[in-house]
Amino acid sequence: MKILIIEDEPALASSIEQYLQQDGYLCEVAPTFDDAMLRSGAYEYDCILVDITLPGGSGLDVIRTLKREHSKAGIIIISAKHSLDDKIKGLEIGSDDYLTKPFHLSELNARIKALVRRKQFNGEQRIDFHEISVWMDKQEVQVNQQPLALTRSEYRLLLYFLANRRRVLSKESIAEHLAGDEADMLDSLDFIYSHIKNLRKKLVNAGAEDYIHAVYGMGYKFSGQ
Amino acid sequence: MKLLQATGRYYLLFSFVLFVLGGGILYLTLSYFIGIETDERLLDTRPALQFQLSAMDSLPSVLVISDDVIEVTPIAAFSEYEMYSDTMVWDAIEKEFEPYRKFTYHDQIHGQPYRIALSHTRLDSEALVMTSLFAVLGILLLLLLAINLFNRYLSLRLWRPFYETIRQIRGFNFDKGEPLAPPPTRIEEFAILNNALEMMTAKVLSDYRTLKQFTENASHEIQTPLAIIKSKIELLIQNDGRDENERQAIQHIQEATSRISKLNRSLLLLARIENRQYSDARELDFRELIGKKADQLEPLISGKNLTVRMELARVSKTMDPTLAEMLLNNLLVNAIKHNLHGGQIEVSLQEERLRIRNTGKPLEVAAEELFERFRKGAGASPSLGLGLAIVREICAVYGYEVRYECQDNWHILTVLWGGSANGQ
């Protein structure tokens, strides 16, 4: 899977690259507008991350060009501008998602996965992890072929974990993923404990292994070992 | 006192002085010249009288010829004596003393020296003086009055651009962002004033904008380094083979970064609200919006085991969608955040107001400080205390009133949509 990162901040671009590479993605970085136009015109990508403000031009123009050329790549805008207008404009000209800086890499990763899945396997969208299977289209979870009823929060939590397997997810990133980044629940991230606790209990009771591990002081990790 | 009144008063005072002075001078001048005229007439009568008296055989002591009274008194020796004087003479008909001008001189009739006193009534001349005086003063008075009135009218007309300028200064608003534009005027002084004001307001506005822009730009610029820090932290925590100290350090860095990030986002939001950058106006169904928001915050609500009751009427408001969302978000998050575990929230939306009630601990800050920036409860809460400040700012944009009350351990926040139901 190939991803183009159009981002002029080398440090941020390298973080994204590093994080995504660990998931087996092939990443390329385009730090300028011209570079972005050149690469996106010459190669096929599964997903393109676009920063709006670029040296030499606007990321929005890159998206317009891509759309004009009927590119099949999923497009996610990563912008420091937090405004509904920009978001709406971005989505209108054909981007698939919009993420405001600063964001969590785990959130970006989950969005990329969801987007690519939506684009490439429309219809059958199934995620398997050992004995756990998730049907995205029906929002159904099975453990050992037995359906498992989860609340919406638990379901989203499970998907988030599955998108970021073997990664340590910070509590903050989980909280923001569940409640949105405007929630400003800094003083109490406690609410995620009960959701994690419930999900864990339900999975284990249904016969799954306990994959959710607390990483002391850091967050949680969903992994087989 | 208006300038016009002040000048008017001075004009009147000046007119009065002029009037009195003019009257006096006129009276004195007229009296003086008429006096000289009378004296000359008396002197002119002398030869004729001499001739008349010489023609008489015997001289009477008093002789009255029309308005003139002549007294003839024989004297011992003749001299070149001549004297003018004012005197009063008894008028037997009017039964009163009347003013006379008396010319006394020595003359020789039939070779005999006599003192002759020739008196002429001054009633005529005084009447003349008074008539002239009143006539002239009347004209003067009319003139002054006319000038005053005309001046008043002229001032009103001429000062009109000035009052227009004042009206514009009063209506000047930073948030509108338009410098003053007084209508052009032919009066140079006003043109100078207007020009100075235009330049000043343009400068003030540009400074104001720069200042506001600075906050926004600064906040905006901070986003990128924050994004880098956050992403690096996230890469760092992937290595779980660290020792306790390192892990704790990373955790603290992470929390602090998170705080800066939220703080920055809130400040940016506040700056942009103040800069009136959220000026989209859309008809929003608040019932639907609240439902969506509550849905989005469901993980928080269920995580804290809260019970939410909603009574939502169909209410629409014309607002900027970002601000509407932020308003509801902050109100609801506030009700969740300061709630007790297993507590309750009641949301009631009506035509005239939105009310959010929640159970919770007693307030740690004074109720009136609740909406201040960075106002937060004591203790070590890392909360920013900007949530309600943002609520207040948004309400200010749309002229809504937001109120806090506490009743039986229920905290009640009410947003009254107020008269300006359709915002901006």
Side-chain angles (χ1 to χ4, degrees):
Chain A
M1 195 121 61
K2 264 175 85 178
I3 294 180
L4 177 62
I5 304 164
I6 304 174
E7 165 64 60
D8 62 323
E9 279 297 330
L12 185 59
S14 81
S15 291
I16 297 171
E17 195 181 7
Q18 213 179 320
Y19 197 92
L20 296 179
Q21 270 170 354
Q22 285 169 8
D23 263 27
Y25 293 111
L26 233 79
C27 296
E28 279 174 25
V29 177
T32 65
F33 177 78
D34 294 338
D35 208 357
M37 292 298 271
L38 199 76
R39 281 177 196 269
S40 62
Y43 308 104
E44 284 282 324
Y45 296 94
D46 298 289
C47 187
I48 303 180
L49 310 179
V50 189
D51 186 8
I52 301 287
T53 42
L54 289 170
S58 163
L60 291 175
D61 290 331
V62 178
I63 299 173
R64 286 194 190 99
T65 312
L66 281 169
K67 284 291 142 186
R68 212 166 38 235
E69 286 162 7
H70 305 291
S71 158
K72 284 194 193 67
I75 299 167
I76 299 177
I77 294 176
I78 43 174
S79 166
K81 277 199 181 165
H82 180 64
S83 103
L84 206 64
D85 269 358
D86 289 344
K87 202 164 176 168
I88 290 168
K89 200 163 152 203
L91 296 178
E92 261 170 13
I93 63 167
S95 88
D96 300 284
D97 210 341
Y98 189 103
L99 209 53
T100 311
K101 285 181 194 171
F103 49 78
H104 292 278
L105 293 174
S106 44
E107 180 67 36
L108 176 68
N109 191 22
R111 302 263 186 121
I112 292 173
K113 288 231 165 79
L115 178 58
V116 169
R117 214 180 289 125
R118 222 162 52 223
K119 287 249 163 194
Q120 295 183 346
F121 316 100
N122 33 15
E124 174 83 346
Q125 293 188 25
R126 196 175 117 184
I127 307 168
D128 289 315
F129 186 82
H130 299 276
E131 61 276 29
I132 301 169
S133 303
V134 181
W135 276 267
M136 302 286 295
D137 44 339
K138 288 178 279 182
Q139 306 210 346
E140 232 177 66
V141 181
Q142 289 191 356
V143 177
N144 295 322
Q145 284 82 49
Q146 292 302 305
L148 176 66
L150 295 179
T151 65
R152 209 158 47 90
S153 295
E154 288 156 9
Y155 176 73
R156 291 182 59 202
L157 192 58
L158 176 63
L159 280 188
Y160 196 50
F161 275 132
L162 287 172
N164 293 289
R165 296 165 211 189
R166 293 179 296 279
R167 298 299 180 87
V168 179
L169 298 179
S170 66
K171 280 175 270 180
E172 191 204 355
S173 130
I174 295 171
E176 279 185 16
H177 181 79
L178 288 183
D181 56 0
E182 295 107 15
D184 181 23
M185 292 299 290
L186 278 169
D187 44 348
S188 156
L189 295 174
D190 294 351
F191 74 95
I192 68 165
Y193 295 136
S194 62
H195 293 302
I196 290 173
K197 197 178 73 192
N198 291 341
L199 174 64
R200 202 167 173 179
K201 209 191 291 170
K202 282 183 184 177
L203 287 174
V204 172
N205 286 350
E209 228 179 283
D210 188 5
Y211 298 116
I212 303 173
H213 309 286
V215 182
Y216 181 74
M218 302 272 187
Y220 295 90
K221 188 164 155 179
F222 195 86
S223 69
Q225 305 88 10
Chain B
M1 185 159 57
K2 277 192 175 182
L3 184 62
L4 209 61
Q5 277 177 331
T7 50
R9 249 171 232 198
Y10 280 115
Y11 267 118
L12 271 177
L13 194 73
F14 179 68
S15 303
F16 180 73
V17 169
L18 203 69
F19 187 74
V20 169
L21 226 68
I25 290 168
L26 192 68
Y27 176 77
L28 289 176
T29 321
L30 275 175
S31 298
Y32 176 71
F33 283 111
I34 286 176
I36 287 175
E37 196 60 33
T38 312
D39 290 355
E40 269 175 11
R41 192 178 158 273
L42 285 170
L43 194 63
D44 287 348
T45 318
R46 190 174 160 174
L49 188 64
Q50 160 88 15
F51 178 74
Q52 287 252 327
L53 288 174
S54 300
M56 287 179 161
D57 299 332
S58 63
L59 292 176
S61 62
V62 175
L63 203 70
V64 177
I65 304 168
S66 77
D67 280 343
D68 294 348
V69 179
I70 303 136
E71 290 162 82
V72 185
T73 321
I75 47 168
F78 171 80
S79 70
E80 290 296 320
Y81 178 81
E82 274 184 4
M83 224 259 295
Y84 294 94
S85 61
D86 291 323
T87 181
M88 302 297 278
V89 172
W90 178 257
D91 186 327
I93 302 159
E94 299 280 334
K95 287 199 175 19
E96 60 180 12
F97 284 99
E98 282 179 357
Y100 273 73
R101 185 65 175 170
K102 194 177 184 179
F103 178 41
T104 313
Y105 63 95
H106 290 179
D107 214 345
Q108 286 188 337
I109 299 160
H110 309 305
Q112 187 70 38
Y114 287 96
R115 186 177 68 214
I116 296 168
L118 181 58
S119 300
H120 181 79
T121 181
R122 277 172 51 210
L123 274 181
D124 297 351
S125 54
E126 267 192 3
L128 185 66
V129 169
M130 286 329 262
T131 313
S132 320
L133 190 69
F134 281 124
V136 172
L137 284 186
I139 292 169
L140 191 68
L141 193 71
L142 265 171
L143 199 69
L144 287 176
L145 210 72
I147 288 176
N148 263 313
L149 280 175
F150 182 66
N151 187 51
R152 212 178 160 75
Y153 163 76
L154 209 63
S155 301
L156 273 177
R157 236 184 100 89
L158 290 177
W159 283 91
R160 196 175 293 155
F162 178 76
Y163 286 113
E164 173 58 23
T165 305
I166 296 282
R167 199 187 60 77
Q168 288 209 6
I169 294 174
R170 279 224 188 95
F172 181 67
N173 188 346
F174 276 109
D175 293 325
K176 273 193 209 139
E178 284 162 20
L180 287 189
T185 165
R186 280 179 296 128
I187 312 295
E188 201 187 331
E189 284 83 350
F190 293 153
I192 293 172
L193 174 74
N194 288 351
N195 190 292
L197 279 171
E198 271 169 55
M199 275 164 41
M200 191 184 81
T201 48
K203 172 93 176 76
V204 164
L205 276 176
S206 109
D207 285 358
Y208 180 74
R209 240 175 270 138
T210 312
L211 198 67
K212 294 256 158 191
Q213 273 295 319
F214 175 77
T215 319
E216 193 186 327
N217 291 344
S219 299
H220 194 74
E221 287 306 314
I222 291 170
Q223 299 282 69
T224 306
L226 270 174
I228 295 170
I229 297 172
K230 273 185 121 170
S231 67
K232 295 298 173 196
I233 292 170
E234 226 178 326
L235 291 175
L236 278 178
I237 62 171
Q238 298 312 321
N239 179 356
D240 44 4
R242 299 179 190 282
D243 69 30
E244 175 74 29
N245 282 341
E246 275 179 331
R247 273 205 296 232
Q248 212 163 51
I250 291 172
Q251 193 193 352
H252 289 157
I253 294 170
Q254 187 173 24
E255 280 165 8
T257 310
S258 198
R259 269 164 80 172
I260 299 173
S261 164
K262 298 247 148 109
L263 173 67
N264 191 54
R265 191 169 282 189
S266 298
L267 287 179
L268 185 58
L269 184 74
L270 273 171
R272 302 185 89 193
I273 295 172
E274 281 174 353
N275 291 352
R276 297 289 189 269
Q277 285 186 13
Y278 295 103
S279 51
D280 196 0
R282 276 183 226 182
E283 180 94 4
L284 301 170
D285 181 350
F286 260 54
R287 181 159 78 168
E288 193 189 316
L289 272 186
I290 292 173
K292 266 194 202 161
K293 218 2 138 182
D295 212 37
Q296 192 202 333
L297 297 176
E298 198 279 330
L300 301 180
I301 295 164
S302 57
K304 231 173 171 175
N305 225 346
L306 303 174
T307 319
V308 181
R309 260 196 305 278
M310 296 208 260
E311 262 177 58
L312 308 178
R314 185 166 286 282
V315 174
S316 288
K317 292 275 144 215
T318 307
M319 270 183 93
D320 182 281
T322 313
L323 292 189
E325 204 210 313
M326 202 52 73
L327 177 72
L328 296 176
N329 182 78
N330 288 9
L331 284 170
L332 283 172
V333 165
N334 183 68
I336 297 167
K337 202 148 85 169
H338 301 292
N339 220 318
L340 306 165
H341 194 86
Q344 297 175 60
I345 297 176
E346 280 179 19
V347 184
S348 149
L349 176 66
Q350 288 178 5
E351 199 56 59
E352 68 275 10
R353 57 140 180 81
L354 165 68
R355 194 174 69 193
I356 296 180
R357 270 159 48 97
N358 66 278
T359 50
K361 279 172 274 178
L363 218 56
E364 287 167 333
V365 298
E368 59 270 19
E369 287 178 357
L370 207 61
F371 297 98
E372 301 287 321
R373 291 178 190 187
F374 301 109
R375 195 56 58 183
K376 46 193 181 184
S381 154
S383 162
L384 296 170
L386 279 174
L388 289 182
I390 291 172
V391 165
R392 187 177 62 176
E393 208 62 55
I394 295 172
C395 286
V397 172
Y398 292 96
Y400 304 155
E401 190 193 338
V402 57
R403 254 189 227 158
Y404 168 82
E405 293 160 87
C406 185
Q407 271 173 18
D408 317 321
N409 282 331
W410 281 83
H411 300 282
I412 308 166
L413 274 167
T414 313
V415 177
L416 295 157
W417 307 123
S420 57
N422 273 322
Q424 281 179 319

